[in-house]
């Protein structure tokens, strides 16, 4: 199976090798991002995470984001896979790979595709702590801004979000 | 008419189940289904205002008319990665 | 040998696996850059490259740049290896790896460390073309700006440099 | 005094060899060594103005005094990656 055909939402451990198997002779730059499970969040010790997704919609949206980011940043290859299920500390939740002729585009596209997937794709992260409790990580509203009845301001539910990772471009 | 709702992420904490069935008067829209769910409590109603809704693999607006047998996916704020 | 102890200038093919072997439970973000040999440059078909370096100075400077970038961008791990010798199309000339608690730092540090190594470390790239000719890729002057007698304006020899990859921060 | 110069990158195209030995009148500085090399041609002299110079694994300035036996590394503009 070509990397381009992979399901973007996977319950098995993610393989970087599989994702970069197809080299490109016309690309001088390869950038990779791996988002891995940290052993703490806001000073609370984390035991493991459980990711869930609306898999068909998430798969479709990730492919759309890949195409959109590749076109905008003139990247040749742009690819993201996200894992669901239970993940231990150090495991990869998300892998993103970009190939571009030059490095400036590869850096920009990598950052853009990871941010877009984190902010727009129906995936949820529940953290399980050492004391036995758990909590969903507060995230981004994906209802369209002009969808009557949906909260449009603030667009993101940030009240309890102290995750510095969660930095928006706006 | 009967509408099935699949609850993703933290919304399940408020419904207590992955699937909820709603009985609505016709004609009804996605907004009506959300309003019915919101009767379960203020905190849930607030979360529902931050939810997107999908049918199949398409995001739909709150103005979308519903038909018997529709299955809605309730998508609260996302946090991948 | 720990990845931290690797020589930064290597004549054998670079191994990404070796470079990311030591995971970090406190880091949520891993970013990787690979600069690979393209099959063309300015529309000229490239057959292979030869990289040369002032190895002792280059090794020392890469380690300094790693420390400097890690401190500035609060990255936990920052590591670069550069290959020398003859490289075929698709082979990696440079690998950079950054680990940081959050992704914003990991993206910024990756870009910064790659740019710094490309602009400041004594390494030279000679391209060999299909017609049998060769040329050194024009680069950046690394003499100190106030070194009397050294060309200080322009600081970089850009007259014949159409490599879009070669984008300076200034 | 005799000074050895190791020529890196494209500088070798102008000297025709990796190592060049210069005989300079004392006292002499790095700048004097570069001036002597620059006598080989205008194009090389221009490249020399864009060169850094190292002794061992230290970059040195053009004002650095030279001693017999010093080995200079001639570092033209770099292009790694």
């Amino acid at each position: 199976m070509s990397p381009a055909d992979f399901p973007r939402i996977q319950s098995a451990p993610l393989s970087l090798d599989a994702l970069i198997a197809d080299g490109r002779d016309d690309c001088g730059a390869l950038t990779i991002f791996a988002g891995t499970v940290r052993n703490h969040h806001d000073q609370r010790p984390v035991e493991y995470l459980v990711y869930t997704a609306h898999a068909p919609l998430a798969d479709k949206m990730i492919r759309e984001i890949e195409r959109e980011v590749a076109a905008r940043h003139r990247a040749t290859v742009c690819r993201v896979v996200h894992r669901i299920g239970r993940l231990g500390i150090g495991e990869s939740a998300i892998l993103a790979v970009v190939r571009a002729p030059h490095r400036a585009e590869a850096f920009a596209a990598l950052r853009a595709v990871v941010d877009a997937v984190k902010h727009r794709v129906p995936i949820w992260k529940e953290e399980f702590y050492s004391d036995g409790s758990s909590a969903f990580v507060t995230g981004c509203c994906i209802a369209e801004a002009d969808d009557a009845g949906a909260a449009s301001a603030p667009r993101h539910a940030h009240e309890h979000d102290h995750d510095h990772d969660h930095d928006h471009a706006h | 008419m009967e509408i099935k709702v699949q609850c993703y992420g933290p919304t399940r904490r408020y419904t207590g189940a992955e699937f909820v069935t709603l009985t609505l008067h016709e004609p009804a829209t996605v907004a009506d289904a959300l309003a019915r769910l919101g009767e379960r409590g203020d905190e849930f109603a607030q979360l529902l205002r931050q939810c997107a809704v999908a049918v199949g693999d398409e995001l739909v607006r709150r103005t979308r008319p519903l038909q018997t047998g529709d299955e809605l996916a309730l998508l609260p704020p996302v946090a991948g990665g």
Side-chain angles (χ1 to χ4, degrees), chain A residues 25-49:
Chain A
D25 287 353
D26 55 347
C27 290
L30 165 67
T31 52
I32 299 169
F33 174 80
T36 56
V37 178
R38 267 180 299 152
N39 58 7
H40 66 282
H41 184 201
D42 289 346
Q43 276 89 47
R44 291 189 75 176
V46 172
E47 292 279 300
Y48 62 94
L49 298 186

Side-chain angles (χ1 to χ4, degrees), chain A residues 79-157:
Chain A
R79 203 170 287 147
V80 179
V81 290
H82 201 293
R83 188 156 163 217
I84 52 172
R86 176 175 171 152
L87 276 74
I89 306 303
E91 287 197 272
S92 290
I94 180 172
L95 290 181
V97 170
V98 170
R99 289 184 192 274
H102 302 285
R103 75 184 188 285
E105 294 92 323
F107 287 128
L110 183 71
R111 170 153 213 160
V113 79
V114 172
D115 284 353
V117 168
K118 291 204 174 211
H119 295 159
R120 287 164 47 190
V121 175
I123 298 171
W124 299 274
K125 168 156 77 170
E126 189 170 8
E127 295 180 331
F128 291 80
Y129 308 105
S130 309
D131 62 8
S133 67
S134 77
F136 279 94
V137 174
T138 314
C140 301
C141 173
I142 62 170
E144 290 183 51
D146 61 348
D147 185 13
S152 55
R155 179 141 168 72
H156 303 99

Side-chain angles (χ1 to χ4, degrees), chain A residues 10 16 19 78 150 168:
Chain A
Q10 300 182 14
L16 184 56
L19 215 57
C78 193
H168 294 90

